[in-house]
Amino acid sequence: PFYWCIAAGTEELFSDTCEQVEEFKRIYSTFSCLAMMLYWSLLLSMSVFHMRLSAFILVCGRVTSEVGLFLLAFVFTILASATSITALDQNQ
């Protein structure tokens, strides 16, 4: 509404209390209310997406650590098998 007041030449900057605004004030406030509702619903949707993304990253971190432990155990098993085979009596 302050655009209408600027066009009317009011003395206050960013004012919405001039006569030209009164007929548009109700429509403007209704659309402002709808815009804010849409904004908050999008923000809520984004927070749910962020929570899902955080859960996915948390699961990936846990799985990565488990895969690392598996690889460490696998290397240990191979090393243990290799050293036990070399310790066998291999006289032919």
Side-chain angles (χ1 to χ4, degrees):
F2 69 91
Y3 291 127
W4 293 95
C5 292
I6 290 173
T10 57
E11 310 221 344
E12 266 184 79
L13 187 61
F14 302 121
S15 174
D16 62 349
T17 57
C18 59
E19 293 177 15
Q20 289 81 6
V21 173
E22 293 304 320
E23 60 185 280
F24 299 109
K25 207 172 212 179
R26 180 72 179 164
I27 296 170
Y28 178 79
S29 65
T30 303
F31 280 114
S32 295
C33 178
L34 290 174
M36 290 308 293
M37 282 186 200
L38 286 174
Y39 172 76
W40 284 107
S41 67
L42 286 173
L43 191 63
L44 180 67
S45 175
M46 185 65 136
S47 69
V48 170
F49 173 72
H50 178 70
M51 192 180 310
R52 285 186 182 179
L53 184 65
S54 295
F56 177 74
I57 290 172
L58 182 67
V59 167
C60 285
R62 299 280 179 159
V63 168
T64 303
S65 67
E66 292 293 326
V67 168
L69 286 173
F70 168 75
L71 290 175
L72 184 66
F74 186 66
V75 168
F76 178 76
T77 304
I78 290 175
L79 186 64
S81 299
T83 55
S84 65
I85 289 173
T86 57
L88 288 175
D89 187 23
Q90 298 183 6
N91 290 335
Q92 294 182 6

